[in-house]
Coordinates of all heavy atoms in Angstrom, one line a residue:
A54 N 18.8 11.4 -5.7 CA 19.5 10.9 -6.8 C 19.2 9.4 -7.0 O 19.0 9.0 -8.2 CB 21.0 11.2 -6.7
E55 N 19.4 8.6 -6.0 CA 19.2 7.2 -6.1 C 17.8 6.9 -6.6 O 17.5 6.0 -7.5 CB 19.5 6.5 -4.9 CG 19.3 5.0 -4.9 CD 20.3 4.2 -5.6 OE1 21.4 4.7 -5.9 OE2 20.1 3.0 -5.8
G56 N 16.8 7.6 -5.9 CA 15.3 7.4 -6.3 C 15.1 7.6 -7.7 O 14.4 7.0 -8.5
T57 N 15.8 8.8 -8.2 CA 15.6 9.2 -9.6 C 16.2 8.2 -10.6 O 15.5 7.8 -11.6 CB 16.3 10.6 -9.9 OG1 15.6 11.5 -8.9 CG2 16.1 11.0 -11.3
V58 N 17.4 7.7 -10.3 CA 18.1 6.7 -11.1 C 17.3 5.4 -11.2 O 17.1 4.8 -12.1 CB 19.6 6.5 -10.6 CG1 20.1 5.2 -11.3 CG2 20.3 7.7 -10.8
V59 N 16.8 5.0 -10.0 CA 16.0 3.8 -9.9 C 14.7 3.9 -10.7 O 14.3 3.0 -11.4 CB 15.7 3.4 -8.4 CG1 14.5 2.4 -8.4 CG2 16.9 3.0 -7.6
G60 N 14.0 5.0 -10.6 CA 12.8 5.3 -11.3 C 13.1 5.3 -12.8 O 12.3 4.7 -13.6
V61 N 14.2 5.9 -13.3 CA 14.5 6.0 -14.7 C 14.8 4.6 -15.2 O 14.3 4.1 -16.3 CB 15.6 7.0 -15.0 CG1 16.1 6.8 -16.5 CG2 15.2 8.5 -14.8
L62 N 15.7 3.8 -14.5 CA 16.0 2.5 -14.9 C 14.8 1.6 -14.9 O 14.6 0.7 -15.8 CB 17.0 1.9 -14.0 CG 18.5 2.4 -14.2 CD1 19.4 1.9 -13.1 CD2 18.9 2.1 -15.5
T63 N 13.9 1.7 -14.0 CA 12.7 0.8 -13.9 C 11.8 1.2 -15.1 O 11.3 0.2 -15.8 CB 11.9 1.2 -12.6 OG1 12.7 0.8 -11.5 CG2 10.7 0.4 -12.5
G64 N 11.7 2.4 -15.4 CA 10.8 2.8 -16.5 C 11.5 2.4 -17.9 O 10.8 1.9 -18.8
I65 N 12.8 2.5 -18.1 CA 13.5 2.0 -19.2 C 13.5 0.5 -19.5 O 13.1 0.0 -20.5 CB 15.0 2.6 -19.4 CG1 14.9 4.1 -19.6 CG2 15.7 2.0 -20.6 CD1 16.3 4.8 -19.4
V66 N 14.0 -0.2 -18.4 CA 14.2 -1.6 -18.5 C 12.9 -2.4 -18.3 O 12.7 -3.4 -18.8 CB 15.2 -2.0 -17.5 CG1 15.5 -3.5 -17.6 CG2 16.6 -1.2 -17.8
G67 N 12.1 -1.8 -17.5 CA 10.8 -2.4 -17.2 C 11.0 -3.5 -16.0 O 10.0 -4.2 -15.6
A68 N 12.1 -3.5 -15.4 CA 12.4 -4.4 -14.3 C 12.1 -3.6 -13.0 O 12.2 -2.4 -12.9 CB 13.8 -4.9 -14.3
G69 N 11.9 -4.3 -11.9 CA 11.6 -3.7 -10.6 C 12.9 -3.1 -10.1 O 14.0 -3.7 -10.4
G70 N 12.7 -2.1 -9.4 CA 13.9 -1.5 -8.8 C 14.1 -1.8 -7.4 O 15.0 -1.1 -6.7
G71 N 13.5 -2.7 -6.8 CA 13.6 -3.1 -5.5 C 15.1 -3.4 -5.0 O 15.5 -2.9 -3.8
F72 N 15.8 -4.2 -5.8 CA 17.1 -4.4 -5.5 C 18.1 -3.3 -5.6 O 19.1 -3.3 -5.0 CB 17.7 -5.7 -6.4 CG 18.0 -5.2 -7.8 CD1 19.3 -4.8 -8.1 CD2 16.9 -5.1 -8.7 CE1 19.5 -4.4 -9.5 CE2 17.2 -4.8 -10.0 CZ 18.5 -4.4 -10.4
L73 N 17.6 -2.2 -6.3 CA 18.4 -1.0 -6.3 C 18.1 0.0 -5.1 O 18.9 0.8 -4.7 CB 18.2 -0.3 -7.5 CG 18.7 -0.9 -8.8 CD1 18.3 -0.2 -10.1 CD2 20.2 -1.2 -8.8
I74 N 16.9 -0.3 -4.6 CA 16.4 0.7 -3.4 C 17.2 0.3 -2.1 O 17.5 1.2 -1.4 CB 14.9 0.5 -3.3 CG1 14.3 1.2 -4.5 CG2 14.4 1.3 -2.1 CD1 12.7 1.0 -4.5
I75 N 17.4 -1.0 -2.0 CA 18.0 -1.4 -0.7 C 19.5 -0.8 -0.5 O 19.6 -0.3 0.7 CB 18.1 -3.0 -0.7 CG1 16.7 -3.6 -0.6 CG2 18.9 -3.5 0.5 CD1 16.7 -5.1 -0.8
P76 N 20.4 -0.8 -1.4 CA 21.6 -0.1 -1.1 C 21.4 1.4 -0.8 O 22.1 2.0 0.0 CB 22.4 -0.3 -2.4 CG 21.8 -1.4 -3.0 CD 20.4 -1.4 -2.7
A77 N 20.4 2.0 -1.5 CA 20.2 3.4 -1.2 C 19.7 3.6 0.2 O 20.2 4.5 0.9 CB 19.2 4.0 -2.2
L78 N 18.8 2.8 0.6 CA 18.3 2.9 2.0 C 19.4 2.6 3.0 O 19.5 3.2 4.1 CB 17.1 2.0 2.2 CG 15.8 2.3 1.4 CD1 14.8 1.2 1.6 CD2 15.3 3.6 1.9
V79 N 20.4 1.7 2.7 CA 21.4 1.4 3.7 C 22.4 2.4 3.7 O 22.9 2.9 4.8 CB 22.0 0.0 3.4 CG1 23.2 -0.3 4.2 CG2 21.0 -1.1 3.5
L80 N 22.8 2.8 2.5 CA 23.9 3.8 2.5 C 23.5 5.3 2.7 O 24.3 6.0 3.3 CB 24.7 3.7 1.1 CG 25.3 2.3 0.8 CD1 25.8 2.2 -0.7 CD2 26.5 2.0 1.8
F81 N 22.4 5.6 2.1 CA 22.0 7.1 2.2 C 21.1 7.4 3.4 O 21.3 8.4 4.0 CB 21.5 7.5 0.8 CG 22.4 7.4 -0.3 CD1 22.0 6.7 -1.5 CD2 23.7 7.9 -0.3 CE1 22.8 6.6 -2.5 CE2 24.5 7.8 -1.4 CZ 24.1 7.1 -2.4
A82 N 20.2 6.4 3.5 CA 19.2 6.8 4.6 C 19.7 6.0 5.9 O 19.1 6.2 7.0 CB 17.8 6.2 4.3
K83 N 20.8 5.3 5.9 CA 21.4 4.7 7.0 C 20.4 3.8 7.8 O 20.5 3.7 9.0 CB 22.0 5.8 8.0 CG 23.1 6.5 7.3 CD 23.7 7.6 8.2 CE 24.8 8.3 7.5 NZ 24.6 9.1 6.3
L84 N 19.6 3.0 7.1 CA 18.7 2.1 7.8 C 19.4 0.8 7.9 O 20.3 0.4 7.1 CB 17.5 1.8 6.7 CG 16.4 2.9 6.7 CD1 15.3 2.5 5.7 CD2 15.7 3.1 8.1
P85 N 19.1 0.0 8.9 CA 19.7 -1.3 9.1 C 19.2 -2.1 8.0 O 18.1 -1.9 7.4 CB 19.0 -1.7 10.4 CG 18.6 -0.6 11.2 CD 18.2 0.5 10.1
M86 N 19.9 -3.2 7.6 CA 19.6 -4.0 6.5 C 18.2 -4.6 6.6 O 17.5 -4.6 5.5 CB 20.7 -5.1 6.4 CG 20.5 -5.9 5.0 SD 21.0 -4.9 3.6 CE 21.1 -5.9 2.4
K87 N 17.8 -5.1 7.7 CA 16.4 -5.7 7.7 C 15.3 -4.8 7.5 O 14.3 -5.1 6.9 CB 16.2 -6.4 9.2 CG 17.0 -7.7 9.3 CD 16.8 -8.3 10.6 CE 17.6 -9.6 10.8 NZ 17.4 -10.3 12.0
K88 N 15.4 -3.4 7.9 CA 14.5 -2.4 7.8 C 14.5 -2.0 6.2 O 13.6 -1.7 5.7 CB 14.7 -1.2 8.6 CG 14.3 -1.5 10.1 CD 14.4 -0.2 10.8 CE 13.9 -0.5 12.3 NZ 13.9 0.7 13.1
A89 N 15.7 -2.0 5.7 CA 15.8 -1.5 4.3 C 15.1 -2.6 3.4 O 14.4 -2.3 2.5 CB 17.3 -1.5 3.8
I90 N 15.3 -3.9 3.7 CA 14.7 -4.9 3.0 C 13.1 -4.9 3.1 O 12.3 -5.0 2.1 CB 15.2 -6.4 3.4 CG1 16.6 -6.5 3.0 CG2 14.3 -7.5 2.8 CD1 17.3 -7.7 3.6
G91 N 12.6 -4.7 4.3 CA 11.2 -4.6 4.5 C 10.6 -3.3 3.9 O 9.5 -3.5 3.3
T92 N 11.4 -2.3 3.9 CA 10.8 -1.0 3.2 C 10.8 -1.3 1.7 O 9.9 -0.8 1.0 CB 11.8 0.2 3.5 OG1 11.9 0.3 4.9 CG2 11.4 1.4 2.9
S93 N 11.8 -2.0 1.1 CA 11.9 -2.2 -0.2 C 10.8 -3.1 -0.7 O 10.1 -2.9 -1.6 CB 13.3 -2.8 -0.7 OG 13.2 -3.2 -2.0
L94 N 10.5 -4.2 0.2 CA 9.3 -5.1 -0.1 C 8.0 -4.4 -0.1 O 7.2 -4.7 -0.8 CB 9.4 -6.2 0.9 CG 10.5 -7.2 0.7 CD1 10.6 -8.2 1.8 CD2 10.4 -7.8 -0.6
L95 N 7.8 -3.4 0.8 CA 6.5 -2.6 0.9 C 6.4 -1.8 -0.4 O 5.3 -1.7 -1.0 CB 6.6 -1.7 2.1 CG 5.3 -0.8 2.2 CD1 4.1 -1.6 2.4 CD2 5.5 0.1 3.5
I96 N 7.6 -1.2 -0.9 CA 7.6 -0.4 -2.0 C 7.2 -1.2 -3.2 O 6.3 -0.9 -4.1 CB 8.9 0.4 -2.3 CG1 9.1 1.4 -1.2 CG2 9.0 1.0 -3.7 CD1 10.5 2.0 -1.1
I97 N 7.8 -2.4 -3.4 CA 7.5 -3.3 -4.4 C 6.0 -3.7 -4.4 O 5.3 -3.8 -5.4 CB 8.4 -4.5 -4.4 CG1 9.8 -4.2 -4.7 CG2 7.9 -5.6 -5.3 CD1 10.9 -5.2 -4.3
A98 N 5.5 -4.1 -3.3 CA 4.2 -4.5 -3.1 C 3.1 -3.4 -3.5 O 2.2 -3.6 -4.3 CB 3.8 -4.9 -1.6
L99 N 3.4 -2.1 -3.1 CA 2.6 -1.1 -3.5 C 2.6 -0.8 -5.0 O 1.6 -0.5 -5.7 CB 2.9 0.2 -2.7 CG 2.6 0.2 -1.3 CD1 3.0 1.4 -0.5 CD2 1.1 0.0 -1.0
K100 N 3.8 -0.8 -5.6 CA 3.9 -0.6 -7.1 C 3.2 -1.8 -7.7 O 2.5 -1.6 -8.8 CB 5.4 -0.6 -7.5 CG 6.1 0.7 -7.1 CD 7.6 0.7 -7.3 CE 8.1 -0.1 -8.5 NZ 9.5 0.0 -8.7
S101 N 3.4 -3.0 -7.3 CA 2.7 -4.2 -7.9 C 1.2 -4.1 -7.8 O 0.4 -4.2 -8.9 CB 3.2 -5.4 -7.3 OG 4.6 -5.6 -7.4
L102 N 0.7 -3.6 -6.7 CA -0.8 -3.5 -6.6 C -1.3 -2.4 -7.5 O -2.3 -2.5 -8.1 CB -1.1 -3.1 -5.1 CG -2.5 -2.9 -4.7 CD1 -3.4 -4.2 -5.0 CD2 -2.7 -2.5 -3.3
I103 N -0.6 -1.3 -7.7 CA -1.0 -0.2 -8.4 C -1.1 -0.7 -9.9 O -1.9 -0.4 -10.6 CB -0.2 1.1 -8.3 CG1 -0.4 1.7 -6.9 CG2 -0.4 2.1 -9.3 CD1 0.5 2.7 -6.3
G104 N 0.1 -1.3 -10.3 CA 0.1 -1.8 -11.6 C -0.9 -2.9 -12.0 O -1.6 -2.9 -13.0
F105 N -1.1 -3.7 -11.0 CA -2.3 -4.8 -11.2 C -3.7 -4.2 -11.3 O -4.5 -4.6 -12.1 CB -2.2 -5.8 -10.0 CG -3.3 -6.9 -10.1 CD1 -3.2 -7.8 -11.1 CD2 -4.3 -6.9 -9.2 CE1 -4.1 -8.8 -11.3 CE2 -5.2 -7.9 -9.3 CZ -5.1 -8.9 -10.4
T106 N -4.0 -3.1 -10.5 CA -5.2 -2.6 -10.6 C -5.4 -1.8 -11.8 O -6.5 -1.7 -12.5 CB -5.5 -1.6 -9.4 OG1 -4.5 -0.6 -9.4 CG2 -5.6 -2.2 -8.1
G107 N -4.3 -1.3 -12.4 CA -4.3 -0.6 -13.7 C -4.6 -1.6 -14.8 O -5.3 -1.4 -15.8
D108 N -3.9 -2.8 -14.7 CA -4.1 -3.9 -15.7 C -5.6 -4.4 -15.6 O -6.2 -4.8 -16.6 CB -3.3 -5.1 -15.4 CG -1.9 -4.7 -16.0 OD1 -1.7 -3.8 -16.7 OD2 -0.9 -5.4 -15.6
L109 N -6.3 -4.5 -14.5 CA -7.6 -4.9 -14.2 C -8.6 -4.1 -15.1 O -9.6 -4.6 -15.5 CB -8.0 -4.9 -12.8 CG -7.5 -6.1 -12.0 CD1 -8.0 -5.9 -10.5 CD2 -7.9 -7.4 -12.5
Q110 N -8.2 -2.9 -15.3 CA -9.1 -2.0 -16.1 C -9.2 -2.1 -17.6 O -10.1 -1.7 -18.2 CB -8.8 -0.5 -15.8 CG -9.0 0.0 -14.3 CD -8.4 1.3 -14.0 OE1 -8.0 2.0 -14.8 NE2 -8.5 1.6 -12.7
R111 N -8.3 -3.0 -18.0 CA -8.2 -3.3 -19.4 C -9.2 -4.4 -19.7 O -9.3 -5.4 -19.0 CB -6.8 -3.7 -19.8 CG -5.8 -2.6 -19.8 CD -4.4 -3.0 -20.3 NE -4.4 -4.0 -21.5 CZ -3.4 -4.7 -21.7 NH1 -2.3 -4.7 -20.9 NH2 -3.3 -5.6 -22.7
N112 N -10.0 -4.3 -20.7 CA -10.9 -5.4 -21.1 C -10.4 -6.5 -21.8 O -10.9 -7.6 -21.8 CB -12.0 -4.6 -21.9 CG -12.9 -3.6 -21.1 OD1 -13.0 -3.8 -19.9 ND2 -13.5 -2.7 -21.7
D113 N -9.3 -6.3 -22.5 CA -8.6 -7.3 -23.3 C -7.7 -8.2 -22.6 O -7.0 -9.0 -23.1 CB -7.9 -6.7 -24.6 CG -6.9 -5.8 -24.1 OD1 -6.7 -5.3 -23.0 OD2 -5.9 -5.5 -25.0
L114 N -7.5 -8.0 -21.3 CA -6.6 -8.6 -20.4 C -7.1 -10.0 -20.0 O -8.2 -10.0 -19.3 CB -6.0 -7.9 -19.3 CG -4.9 -8.4 -18.4 CD1 -3.7 -8.6 -19.4 CD2 -4.6 -7.6 -17.3

Side-chain angles (χ1 to χ4, degrees):
E55 177 77 14
T57 302
V58 169
V59 168
V61 169
L62 285 175
T63 301
I65 291 172
V66 178
F72 72 97
L73 296 172
I74 293 170
I75 293 172
L78 293 172
V79 171
L80 298 175
F81 300 127
K83 298 177 177 56
L84 283 180
M86 191 65 169
K87 287 183 181 181
K88 284 189 180 182
I90 292 170
T92 303
S93 175
L94 290 174
L95 178 63
I96 292 168
I97 292 167
L99 292 174
K100 285 173 35 179
S101 299
L102 180 62
I103 291 167
F105 181 67
T106 56
D108 284 344
L109 283 177
Q110 295 174 5
R111 292 179 42 198
N112 292 334
D113 62 338
L114 186 64

